[in-house]
Amino acid sequence: MPVSALGPFRPPFGRSHEVSPEPLTSYHTPVYLIALKMLIGNRGKFFAMLFGVALTALIITQQSSIFIGLMSRTVGFIFDTPQPDLWVMDPKVQFVDDIKPLQDTKLFQVRGVEGVEWAVPLYKGQLRARLSNGTFQTCNVIGLDDASLVAGPPTMVQGSVADLRRADGVIVDEAAANGKLAKPGPTPDSPKIPLKVGDTLELNDNRAIVVGIARATRTFQSQPIVYTTYSRAMRFAPRERKLLSFVLAKVRPGEDVHTVAARLAQQTGLSAYTGQEFKGITIRYFMKNTGIPINFGMAVGLGFLVGVAIVGQTFFSFVVDNMRYLGILKAMGASNRLLFLMILLQTSLVGVIGCCLGMGLASLTSIISKNSELAFYMPWQVPVVTALATALITLITATFSLRKVLTLEPGIVFRG
Amino acid sequence: MSAAIVCRDVTKSYLTGKTVTPALRGVNLEVSEGELFMLVGPSGCGKTTLISVIAGILNHDGGECRIFGRDPNEMSDEERTAYRGKTVGFVFQAYNLIPTLTTAENVSIPLLLNGIERAPALERAEEMLVKVGLKEKLRTLPSELSGGQQQRVAIARALAHNPRLIVCDEPTSALDHTTGGEIMEIFRHEALSGNRTLVIVTHDSRIFHFADRIAVMDDGQIVQVANSPAELSFGSNKEPSKHA
């Protein structure tokens, strides 16, 4: 028998030279490094897949965040009014802007219910403001209880809520002061001059003086928010028999909110909801009665499908390109399980990097669009949903590719 | 000398649609340990099917084929995967090196699949590459190597995990005469050491003289076994014909 010129091979690493066809069950990390090198080495396909996942994550995150932002705006006023435990209203009210005015006497009925510590009136209505250039702008006027000023703006930029007690005083929200209620510049081309404390407005032919600028959560309709006292709002509003929009009530310490709400409903014939319940009612109304969910749902669904299509197709093509090498690995002793784990690792890497890129871009949008008209709100659930959607895409992709690998004939390696 | 491969009446057919195409029609073969055995014959005669059966890549339909005492057909899928990973080394006509891995990484693959850690696997791979004359190409990508160099890497890869059997499919047919000769020298000097068995499928009559024995296949059967090229009925300098 021939003898090696370099001496005989030693059985490597103390392994017996006997046939030992026991299963190869455990693999070390380096085997998976091969998978990563195969993936990253094919730069064109790697970046195409990253682009696909990042685009998908961006679309899902952005559209979901805008949807949630819009839904949040529908309850912006409730969000800005955390003081009362209960919102008391006409039972036919469907959402926060659906005003069904109550008789003023209802306020006293509410105050008379056992368990109610205090109850104040709230006016919420739309009035026309005449601007200094003669144009009109519909405003969302909030009339606060004169004594307590409960439900006032959450953050003051100029002035204070107490300034509402000054004659004809109104507080205007910052976005409106800089935009829809701003005064025109001296020339048509010059920028608008923001409304400031001391400026006057005409509200339904009544003079109003700006005594403060507030920062409030934007509303769904994005109309200017004008805060004033309840009695002044009664003066500004057109004469009607009933003008009381809501009664805001505080429950006595130690009383159960829901018990008091039930008692209120029973004794006054009105509905009483906690702020959280009222937000839920409002959001459900918009979900059920507007095209917003279906429009955004379609955009998110389309983003998901785009992801599946781009990533799936590119990865499948990557697997087909590598079929020969996967066949070699299979011939050399790689099990189907190992090949699947390698493919899963490849898709997972693409998924994780692409998802982070997409969500990063969406977060950038969030930062850029802060304090703008764009309703963008990204709670922690959105990245979680995006990550789950991306994981699903990578799993679908890996499974499709796996079918190809499972049916891979190792004999492919002998074909030239 | 004990037998490495014993095939008795091995049959194998392929089903294409409703057509059954026999590839092996009762092959009888015995290859000893430490032997360099060549399988020659015209295209489509069943050579590649036979080495696929021997390597545990394909199941045979009938007969028995014992490799070091065990028939891959009797093994479970997991056992057969382990058999290929531990006992068999492969050398292909098209080299089949993974293009995004360096030469050392390519050579280390069978070791990694056998559970060896990366550092000792690469050390062993570099040792093998030095043995096949590629000391200067340890960190080179396959695309930067000539055909002959790539085939040397493939041989190093086939030897790295010290298998008892190496199957080669047309290892020199893509190489020029000189390079093909060099590759066969490596096979003679390196691959056969340690009582390893080599089965080489080839059309390349220029390398017949490296074989210990040559089997001529035709139409799914072994029709002649020769101890030297001179004994072959079609001669050593001609391509084996269908009617050898």
Side-chain angles (χ1 to χ4, degrees):
Chain A
M1 280 300 107
V3 176
S4 167
L6 298 167
F9 283 121
R10 296 182 306 275
F13 318 108
R15 196 164 55 76
S16 160
H17 205 63
E18 295 301 309
V19 181
S20 48
E22 68 271 16
L24 299 171
T25 50
S26 64
Y27 301 101
H28 295 282
T29 313
V31 180
Y32 300 109
L33 282 178
I34 294 172
L36 296 182
K37 282 203 139 193
M38 285 170 79
L39 173 72
I40 297 166
N42 192 338
R43 290 212 172 88
K45 288 217 160 58
F46 179 57
F47 285 120
M49 286 186 282
L50 274 188
F51 173 76
V53 176
L55 185 68
T56 305
L58 174 66
I59 292 172
I60 293 175
T61 308
Q62 198 192 42
Q63 293 299 307
S64 304
S65 298
I66 293 174
F67 171 70
I68 292 170
L70 273 178
M71 286 296 110
S72 301
R73 285 189 178 187
T74 63
V75 295
F77 178 60
I78 308 171
F79 183 78
D80 283 350
T81 313
Q83 303 94 334
D85 291 327
L86 291 170
W87 291 65
V88 186
M89 65 200 79
D90 186 284
K92 299 239 172 5
V93 169
Q94 299 180 84
F95 59 102
V96 70
D97 295 320
D98 179 31
I99 306 298
K100 304 274 192 298
L102 309 168
Q103 288 179 337
D104 283 346
T105 52
K106 288 291 180 190
L107 171 65
F108 305 110
Q109 280 188 33
V110 171
R111 282 177 177 163
V113 172
E114 190 188 338
V116 173
E117 189 174 23
W118 54 253
V120 294
L122 182 81
Y123 171 82
K124 187 172 187 298
Q126 296 191 339
L127 300 180
R128 279 197 318 174
R130 188 166 185 269
L131 307 182
S132 56
N133 62 351
T135 58
F136 291 91
Q137 170 66 52
T138 303
C139 298
N140 204 353
V141 176
I142 312 294
L144 315 175
D145 174 49
D146 292 49
S148 62
L149 297 177
V150 165
T155 310
M156 292 301 296
V157 179
Q158 290 177 43
S160 73
V161 182
D163 290 337
L164 281 180
R165 298 200 174 95
R166 287 162 56 185
D168 298 330
V170 292
I171 294 172
V172 176
D173 81 282
E174 188 182 29
N178 295 327
K180 289 177 177 170
L181 295 181
K183 293 180 287 186
T187 62
D189 295 334
S190 53
K192 286 182 169 180
I193 302 166
L195 208 61
K196 60 180 189 307
V197 172
D199 287 342
T200 57
L201 283 175
E202 229 177 75
L203 275 170
N204 204 18
D205 293 336
N206 292 280
R207 183 169 175 268
I209 301 170
V210 178
V211 294
I213 306 291
R215 189 167 295 143
T217 304
R218 283 170 187 267
T219 61
F220 183 66
Q221 291 155 326
S222 291
Q223 287 171 337
I225 305 171
V226 177
Y227 295 89
T228 188
T229 59
Y230 185 75
S231 58
R232 201 171 294 131
M234 295 299 103
R235 186 155 53 85
F236 291 161
R239 290 311 307 160
E240 285 181 49
R241 198 165 60 85
K242 295 191 273 186
L243 281 171
L244 176 62
S245 308
F246 298 100
V247 176
L248 306 181
K250 185 77 177 174
V251 172
R252 234 179 243 142
E255 290 277 356
D256 178 57
V257 175
H258 293 97
T259 308
V260 177
R263 203 177 292 149
L264 270 166
Q266 190 192 12
Q267 294 181 18
T268 64
L270 303 174
S271 291
Y273 303 115
T274 63
Q276 204 57 38
E277 288 169 341
F278 197 25
K279 280 182 199 169
I281 289 167
T282 300
I283 288 173
R284 274 196 294 280
Y285 173 85
F286 278 91
M287 296 279 276
K288 195 175 167 188
N289 295 287
T290 67
I292 296 171
I294 194 162
N295 284 315
F296 281 93
M298 278 181 72
V300 170
L302 203 61
F304 183 80
L305 289 178
V306 165
V308 172
I310 296 181
V311 182
Q313 199 174 32
T314 317
F315 193 78
F316 190 73
S317 143
F318 168 78
V319 169
V320 169
D321 284 355
N322 282 291
M323 201 50 78
R324 169 173 288 275
Y325 307 115
L326 293 171
I328 291 160
L329 292 176
K330 200 165 177 175
M332 289 197 297
S335 64
N336 281 336
R337 178 175 157 269
L338 174 66
L339 294 178
F340 175 63
L341 290 176
M342 288 172 76
I343 284 175
L344 199 60
L345 176 70
Q346 290 170 333
T347 50
S348 299
L349 182 77
V350 170
V352 168
I353 298 176
C355 188
C356 290
L357 279 174
M359 288 199 287
L361 284 172
S363 303
L364 201 64
T365 312
S366 164
I367 293 165
I368 292 168
S369 66
K370 201 175 177 185
N371 294 325
S372 75
E373 287 292 326
L374 184 67
F376 193 100
Y377 176 55
M378 186 165 62
W380 63 268
Q381 290 92 340
V382 170
V384 170
V385 168
T386 306
L388 287 175
T390 312
L392 190 61
I393 289 172
T394 54
L395 198 64
I396 291 171
T397 303
T399 308
F400 268 110
S401 304
L402 178 70
R403 270 176 56 86
K404 192 88 182 159
V405 174
L406 285 181
T407 54
L408 173 66
E409 172 57 62
I412 188 176
V413 295
F414 287 127
R415 289 171 204 141
Chain B
M1 196 183 303
S2 58
I5 302 166
V6 179
C7 293
R8 295 274 176 263
D9 299 322
V10 171
T11 58
K12 172 73 185 172
S13 299
Y14 294 107
L15 191 64
T16 315
K18 289 179 180 174
T19 313
V20 177
T21 311
L24 301 178
R25 301 166 184 261
V27 170
N28 290 293
L29 173 72
E30 198 166 313
V31 180
S32 302
E33 284 193 51
E35 186 174 10
L36 194 163
F37 191 86
M38 282 189 191
L39 274 172
V40 303
S43 297
C45 71
K47 305 184 297 286
T48 301
T49 300
L50 182 56
I51 58 164
S52 296
V53 167
I54 290 170
I57 285 174
L58 282 179
N59 277 341
H60 53 91
D61 299 334
E64 68 170 8
C65 185
R66 300 209 165 267
I67 319 297
F68 303 111
R70 284 202 68 182
D71 190 333
N73 260 26
E74 295 167 356
M75 298 177 191
S76 67
D77 280 351
E78 284 189 333
E79 284 177 328
R80 198 159 44 241
T81 298
Y83 159 73
R84 289 200 302 265
K86 290 171 186 273
T87 309
V88 187
F90 294 89
V91 177
F92 311 102
Q93 179 184 359
Y95 325 128
N96 286 341
L97 303 175
I98 296 178
T100 53
L101 304 183
T102 65
T103 50
E105 286 168 336
N106 265 292
V107 175
S108 71
I109 290 173
L111 298 165
L112 300 178
L113 289 173
N114 276 290
I116 309 293
E117 289 285 1
R118 183 176 162 83
L122 283 175
E123 193 183 316
R124 168 72 176 172
E126 288 175 6
E127 187 187 321
M128 297 311 303
L129 284 167
V130 171
K131 282 187 177 179
V132 297
L134 291 174
K135 189 181 176 182
E136 310 301 322
K137 305 285 183 183
L138 304 179
R139 303 276 184 274
T140 310
L141 289 173
S143 57
E144 295 160 5
L145 298 174
S146 67
Q149 288 172 325
Q150 288 190 55
Q151 197 58 298
R152 283 167 190 245
V153 177
I155 292 170
R157 180 176 66 183
L159 297 173
H161 56 306
N162 201 15
R164 296 180 75 181
L165 170 68
I166 292 181
V167 291
C168 313
D169 188 37
E170 306 280 5
T172 59
S173 61
L175 305 174
D176 60 57
H177 178 66
T178 311
T179 313
E182 286 170 5
I183 292 296
M184 288 312 297
E185 286 297 336
I186 292 170
F187 274 128
R188 288 296 301 187
H189 291 133
E190 295 300 327
L192 280 180
S193 62
N195 224 22
R196 191 176 282 112
T197 306
L198 257 84
V199 178
I200 298 177
V201 163
T202 186
H203 274 100
D204 188 355
S205 57
R206 299 168 302 183
I207 64 166
F208 286 178
H209 62 280
F210 286 97
D212 293 320
R213 284 191 303 152
I214 304 166
V216 180
M217 282 192 78
D218 192 15
D219 202 17
Q221 288 178 312
I222 289 177
V223 293
Q224 185 190 1
V225 178
N227 289 316
S228 72
E231 291 178 21
L232 292 172
S233 53
F234 56 78
S236 64
N237 294 320
K238 288 185 221 164
E239 189 74 4
S241 71
K242 189 169 171 81
H243 305 290

